[in-house]
Amino acid sequence: MISLDMANDTDLEQLSEQALSNMARLRPVLDKIADKWTIMILTVLCPKPSRFNEIKRRLHGITHKALADALKRLERNGLVTRTVLPTAPIGVEYAITPLGHSLRQPFEALCAWALDHGDAMTEASAAHDHARKAG
Amino acid sequence: MISLDMANDTDLEQLSEQALSNMARLRPVLDKIADKWTIMILTVLCPKPSRFNEIKRRLHGITHKALADALKRLERNGLVTRTVLPTAPIGVEYAITPLGHSLRQPFEALCAWALDHGDAMTEASAAHDHARKAG
DNA sequence: CCGGATCCGGGGCGATACTG
DNA sequence: CAGTATCGCCCCGGATCCGG
């Protein structure tokens, strides 16, 4: 633990100032990547580049438009590349960039947590609803 | 075309089945936690419990309603607790639960990435826009 | 057939005002 | 100070159409 407990309010102010400035820098980035599809798309793209409908198939549940928009955003942010294949019919291949690849570890940590604690969250929700129903 | 791809697909089908089933389990969890405010709220609550307006002040930019909704969701999912303080005027303290605390590491990884690569993303966006403007 | 753009309706989010 | 209710807008999501 940190000597945080020992700090008085003034010190806490000082400390939180930095936390705040960090968060000010954090917010715009999180706005871009903390979207539920971003994680799953990059996860799909990680092992190998894929085409549009291939991604769509793997993410059964995602909408045509949602996927298109997400891919556009990811491309704009430099996380994936978009390559038109000279095939007939036309094919478009999406690949993950090094920058996008660097996101893999954080995302994996998050996914691992999700798999580990997803049930706990479900139980918590159920318990909460039950209590609310009882109350 | 491409019976070759189909052969590949069959093998990949096997492999991706697991990835898919993982992702099927992932999706509902990510739906709950992969929200941009969740991360920042838990980050704020991590060092010490805080009251409503205290959180709001630290997240300058968040709306009253957004914060209220997010806190309700977090409480429902067992990530934070809500305690009414017997003070006058009434105060409510939000604290992080062990479950919520277990999210800290994944989130820290994500935040670290954001701080490291945020600029790269910004540059990428700018470059993309510039190219688009030129085209 | 594949990938993308457009249009429109509904839900979510933000701002304000009010209660305890 | 904390929370809810209401309204209005925007944006997301679904359907349809277009180009290759």
Side-chain angles (χ1 to χ4, degrees), chain B residues 54-74:
Chain B
E54 193 176 352
I55 305 174
K56 186 171 187 295
R57 233 177 297 124
R58 296 230 198 151
L59 297 180
H60 44 152
I62 195 174
T63 309
H64 200 77
K65 184 168 178 289
L67 180 55
D69 290 350
L71 285 173
K72 243 189 291 185
R73 206 178 50 244
L74 289 176

Side-chain angles (χ1 to χ4, degrees), chain A residues 63 65-66 89-90:
Chain A
T63 309
K65 183 169 180 289
I90 273 183

Side-chain angles (χ1 to χ4, degrees), chain A:
Chain A
M1 290 296 281
I2 322 171
S3 59
L4 197 59
D5 289 347
M6 302 196 52
N8 57 30
D9 283 349
T10 345
D11 284 343
L12 275 177
E13 285 295 330
Q14 301 296 332
L15 289 176
S16 60
E17 279 303 321
Q18 298 194 348
L20 261 187
S21 73
N22 273 348
M23 234 159 22
R25 294 174 55 200
L26 236 55
R27 186 169 44 84
V29 186
L30 291 179
D31 281 352
K32 290 172 184 151
I33 66 170
D35 158 56
K36 66 178 169 183
W37 293 121
T38 299
I39 301 181
M40 296 169 64
I41 293 176
L42 286 185
T43 300
V44 165
L45 253 45
C46 199
K48 70 170 176 57
S50 306
R51 295 175 43 170
F52 188 90
N53 281 321
E54 194 178 351
I55 305 173
K56 186 170 187 294
R57 232 176 297 126
R58 296 227 196 153
L59 298 178
H60 45 147
I62 195 174
T63 309
H64 201 75
K65 183 169 180 289
L67 180 55
D69 291 350
L71 286 172
K72 244 190 291 186
R73 206 178 51 243
L74 290 176
E75 188 200 0
R76 178 173 186 275
N77 292 333
L79 298 178
V80 306
T81 59
R82 177 182 177 277
T83 311
V84 177
L85 305 175
T87 60
I90 273 183
V92 179
E93 192 177 73
Y94 292 91
I96 200 170
T97 66
L99 182 61
H101 197 75
S102 69
L103 253 175
R104 193 188 180 187
Q105 281 207 0
F107 279 178
E108 271 182 359
L110 205 59
C111 291
W113 185 93
L115 294 179
D116 280 353
H117 302 283
D119 293 344
M121 269 185 52
T122 306
E123 290 175 20
S125 307
H128 184 83
D129 292 348
H130 185 70
R132 188 169 177 274
K133 175 188 169 188

Side-chain angles (χ1 to χ4, degrees), chain A residues 1 4-5 12, chain B residues 42-49 58 96 104:
Chain A
M1 290 296 281
L4 197 59
D5 289 347
L12 275 177
Chain B
L42 287 186
T43 300
V44 166
L45 289 181
C46 200
K48 69 172 177 54
R58 296 230 198 151
I96 201 170
R104 194 188 179 186

